[in-house]
Amino acid sequence: MTFHTARRRALGLVSSIALFGALAAGAHSQAAPHPGASSAFSTTHFWNDLQLDFLPGDTWERLRDNLQWQDRTHDARVQHWIEHYRANPSNVIEIIERARPWMAWINEKVETRGLPGEIALIPFVESSFDPTARSHRGAAGLWQFMPGTGDALGLSRRNGYDGRLDVVASTEAALDYIELQAEQWYEGDLELSLAAYNAGAGTVNRARHAAGGRGEPTDYWHLQLPNETMNYLPKLNAIAAIIADPDAHGIDLPEIDDAPAFAKITVETPINLGQLATMSGVDQAELSALNPGLTNGSAHPATAKVVLVPIEHEENVLAHLTAPASPNPGTGAEQHVVARGDSLSAIAALHGSSVEEIRQHNGLNGDVIHEGQRLDIPRRSLAAR
């Protein structure tokens, strides 16, 4: 049963039970009561139970509902890559496990835009779902943006932040880019846009012009393109075909809940991931894995828009971020333990303070500090003001 089928059945059952409740309560209106309305039969409790049983589906079911290019499955190039993946099931499973934190959220973004579900699998082909992946040509991140393309799309690379590695920012940028190229060059043809995503619009446009000059079709599947681009959509269609029917291909897909695994915390003041982990009890390695774009382990509102945290820790993290910082007795300040490579200017920027304030608070005459030294910081570093 698919996610949407289950949801439709659930809604139908709720309507029936709500109507039964109204009749049992002697309701005179012909309209069924709102699920929260009082009745002899508690539809609110029924709805809550039903949500637990039906609604939190598997992300692959949701993806299957949105696949649109399955008619390409029998193409020889697609079949070649299906056989390749079938011969290496452990590699497929490894990549899917790596996709676990991101898949449901990307799925949702693709679906919201009305794009084919296959597009949610582009990171499978581009980066094996590794948000820290870097190519020898300089591409980086889940969506493998080159520096110039990333810059053009607003994925900044400065002050300890690389937007190409930021999964939220780069995903939105990639989907924008794919839609923009389809509209600008290819009359909405997303397959040609994906070819341009891989090889560049100039390469694809020249190939189309040459094909047209020979009187041949100018769609993706008939073009002569670089070898990597010739295999780009076949790979994408192959993994989509396996996900559409894993049993038929002998691959046991790990289940992934159809709900985002992370919450987005708005960066309003500097946030240090190490300090945030210590304060909130979230594993620092997990925080770092969710925030690969924070290349120096901290977020500043001038660069990063959000910090991602495990969804189950969202309330706890927010509580710590908004709580007043605990002052050191007699100083009214927080403490910062100097790490290797720290400077007063970097510490001041991290904590939303100034070098002069830190000097005055700690009786420093110059800028010399030492690893392991404890500095009083006059302003809190993590509160979201």
Side-chain angles (χ1 to χ4, degrees), residues 50-371:
L50 203 61
Q51 282 184 311
L52 290 174
D53 291 339
F54 284 96
L55 296 186
D58 181 70
T59 198
W60 305 124
E61 288 292 340
R62 186 170 186 174
L63 179 61
R64 289 176 192 125
D65 283 346
N66 294 314
L67 295 176
Q68 297 180 23
W69 294 340
Q70 291 299 288
D71 57 327
R72 297 292 185 188
T73 300
H74 300 294
D75 182 274
R77 280 182 282 170
V78 176
Q79 282 295 314
H80 168 80
W81 284 104
I82 288 176
E83 291 306 314
H84 172 82
Y85 292 135
R86 288 181 64 179
N88 298 277
S90 60
N91 186 48
V92 174
I93 300 305
E94 181 183 348
I95 294 173
I96 286 175
E97 287 292 350
R98 203 177 291 133
R100 185 175 293 279
W102 318 113
M103 195 67 238
W105 183 81
I106 293 174
N107 229 1
E108 183 179 291
K109 291 299 174 182
V110 169
E111 183 183 74
T112 298
R113 293 175 182 242
L115 294 169
E118 286 85 350
I119 289 177
L121 297 171
I122 288 174
F124 190 102
V125 176
E126 284 285 353
S127 63
S128 297
F129 268 103
D130 179 1
T132 65
R134 295 181 183 272
S135 77
H136 66 279
R137 292 179 298 182
L142 211 64
W143 299 86
Q144 288 292 282
F145 278 116
M146 294 294 286
T149 307
D151 291 345
L153 293 168
L155 299 174
S156 65
R157 293 173 292 121
R158 58 191 177 92
N159 297 334
Y161 173 77
D162 189 337
R164 299 175 303 161
L165 307 182
D166 182 326
V167 173
V168 169
S170 65
T171 297
E172 296 286 10
L175 299 182
D176 286 346
Y177 190 43
I178 291 165
E179 289 185 309
L180 175 65
Q181 287 200 129
E183 294 170 5
Q184 182 175 3
W185 298 108
Y186 309 118
E187 298 180 339
D189 189 320
L190 289 166
E191 291 181 316
L192 287 171
S193 181
L194 291 183
Y197 185 92
N198 178 254
T203 298
V204 175
N205 294 347
R206 286 190 294 272
R208 295 188 76 211
H209 181 74
R214 296 190 298 267
E216 298 172 357
T218 59
D219 65 290
Y220 166 81
W221 295 93
H222 290 88
L223 295 183
Q224 294 299 312
L225 294 162
N227 186 61
E228 180 181 308
T229 312
M230 292 285 284
N231 286 293
Y232 192 72
L233 265 75
K235 286 182 179 179
L236 186 64
N237 280 270
I239 192 60
I242 288 171
I243 287 171
D245 193 353
D247 291 340
H249 296 95
I251 294 181
D252 186 16
L253 294 181
E255 290 189 5
I256 299 179
D257 288 342
D258 184 26
F262 58 82
K264 293 182 285 187
I265 306 297
T266 302
V267 178
E268 298 183 8
T269 58
I271 297 176
N272 179 280
L273 294 186
Q275 293 180 7
L276 180 60
T278 299
M279 291 174 64
S280 62
V282 182
D283 182 71
Q284 185 172 350
E286 189 173 4
L287 274 180
S288 297
L290 286 175
N291 296 278
L294 304 179
T295 56
N296 69 351
S298 60
H300 193 281
T303 50
K305 293 183 179 179
V306 296
V307 163
L308 305 186
V309 301
I311 189 70
E312 64 272 18
H313 291 288
E314 179 184 14
E315 291 186 8
N316 185 38
V317 168
L318 285 173
H320 281 87
L321 287 173
T322 56
S326 299
N328 292 325
T331 69
E334 298 175 75
Q335 279 199 340
H336 177 98
V337 179
V338 177
R340 181 176 299 177
D342 273 353
S343 66
L344 282 184
S345 59
I347 295 170
L350 177 63
H351 292 275
S353 186
S354 72
V355 171
E356 185 57 32
E357 285 177 317
I358 294 176
R359 282 200 196 107
Q360 290 179 358
H361 228 73
N362 293 274
L364 300 176
N365 294 321
D367 294 339
V368 178
I369 52 178
H370 307 283
E371 184 177 354

Side-chain angles (χ1 to χ4, degrees), residues 17-28:
I17 295 299
L19 180 60
F20 173 80
L23 293 173
H28 298 292

